[in-house]
């Protein structure tokens, strides 16, 4: 899929195929998170959260985001040891700082490696954070996952993520 997606990205807009963004990892250590580029090249990518009808999203980017295929390069992050397949989703560095000031328990989620998918994501707590309640629920789901981890829970989350990818997710 990588060569096909790369060609589609190049045909849809100028810029690199991959988007590399510093994100908060385990113990709040920054790492370079890889994604397929789904936005037009812009100066706000490391500061401004993507919104549902964001005009920076490219036509192929909309499909990549809806299908979660934009996250596929993060398997390289898993291979490099920066991420796990399942765990709390990593946030951009600015959001880690902002969210820590909003909700004290936020940093607990950094005790483990971030994941390609997680308990919060498969329950719809993904994408744009519009209000504090949404953020708090996401963090509560991440903490619940950490407190209840098992290999079977990871398998369930992976299957739920595959189903969500096929079904589509309104928050993607």
């Amino acid at each position: 899929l990588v060569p096909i997606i790369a060609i589609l990205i190049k045909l849809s807009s100028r810029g690199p195929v991959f988007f590399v963004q510093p994100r908060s990892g385990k113990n709040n250590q920054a790492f370079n998170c890889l994604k397929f580029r789904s936005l037009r090249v812009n100066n706000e990518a490391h500061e401004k959260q993507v919104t549902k009808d964001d005009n920076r999203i490219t036509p192929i980017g909309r499909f990549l985001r809806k299908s979660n295929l934009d996250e596929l390069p993060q398997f390289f992050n898993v291979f490099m040891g920066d991420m796990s397949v399942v765990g709390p989703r990593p946030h951009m560095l600015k959001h880690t700082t902002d969210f820590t000031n909003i909700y004290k328990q936020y940093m607990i989620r950094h005790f483990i490696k971030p994941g390609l998918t997680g308990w919060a994501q498969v329950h719809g707590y993904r994408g744009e954070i519009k209000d504090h309640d949404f953020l708090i629920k996401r963090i509560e789901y991440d903490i619940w996952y950490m407190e209840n981890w098992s290999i079977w829970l990871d398998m369930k989350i992976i299957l739920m993520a595959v189903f969500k990818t096929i079904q589509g997710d309104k928050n993607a």
Side-chain angles (χ1 to χ4, degrees):
L1 285 176
V2 173
I4 294 167
I5 293 172
I7 291 168
L8 293 172
I9 290 170
K10 286 304 231 177
L11 290 174
S12 80
S13 68
R14 290 184 168 191
V17 170
F18 297 103
F19 175 67
V20 180
Q21 183 177 62
R23 300 244 179 136
S24 300
K26 183 177 179 183
N27 298 322
N28 200 29
Q29 294 296 310
F31 71 98
N32 287 323
C33 187
L34 299 171
K35 293 182 76 163
F36 280 121
R37 184 176 55 81
S38 61
L39 305 179
R40 289 176 182 77
V41 175
N42 67 88
N43 294 327
E44 300 174 309
H46 298 293
E47 301 286 323
K48 184 180 174 188
Q49 187 176 41
V50 177
T51 59
K52 186 175 181 173
D53 294 318
D54 201 312
N55 64 1
R56 298 175 295 167
I57 301 174
T58 64
I60 188 65
R62 190 162 311 284
F63 169 75
L64 292 173
R65 295 176 78 81
K66 272 284 190 208
S67 64
N68 296 317
L69 288 173
D70 63 323
E71 312 286 353
L72 194 61
Q74 289 172 23
F75 279 105
F76 289 112
N77 289 114
V78 172
F79 179 73
M80 297 304 293
D82 294 321
M83 293 178 71
S84 293
V85 174
V86 179
R89 287 291 299 151
H91 292 136
M92 68 174 85
L93 301 180
K94 180 187 182 319
H95 284 163
T96 297
T97 302
D98 293 347
F99 297 160
T100 301
N101 294 325
I102 294 171
Y103 192 57
K104 300 256 185 263
Q105 281 90 354
Y106 177 77
M107 292 307 290
I108 293 171
R109 63 196 303 281
H110 293 92
F111 290 163
I112 63 173
K113 287 182 184 179
L116 291 169
T117 190
W119 191 240
Q121 281 65 39
V122 297
H123 284 90
Y125 294 103
R126 60 170 291 178
E128 181 182 3
I129 297 173
K130 296 179 183 177
D131 58 51
H132 292 193
D133 291 337
F134 191 86
L135 172 65
I136 290 168
K137 288 302 264 181
R138 180 183 287 184
I139 295 165
E140 287 172 352
Y141 272 74
D142 289 338
I143 293 171
W144 184 92
Y145 165 77
M146 294 169 65
E147 292 173 343
N148 294 279
W149 178 87
S150 73
I151 191 73
W152 303 113
L153 179 58
D154 277 3
M155 298 303 281
K156 178 179 180 177
I157 292 168
I158 291 167
L159 290 173
M160 290 174 74
V162 169
F163 181 73
K164 283 273 190 185
T165 296
I166 293 166
Q167 177 189 35
D169 189 336
K170 64 182 171 90
N171 292 333

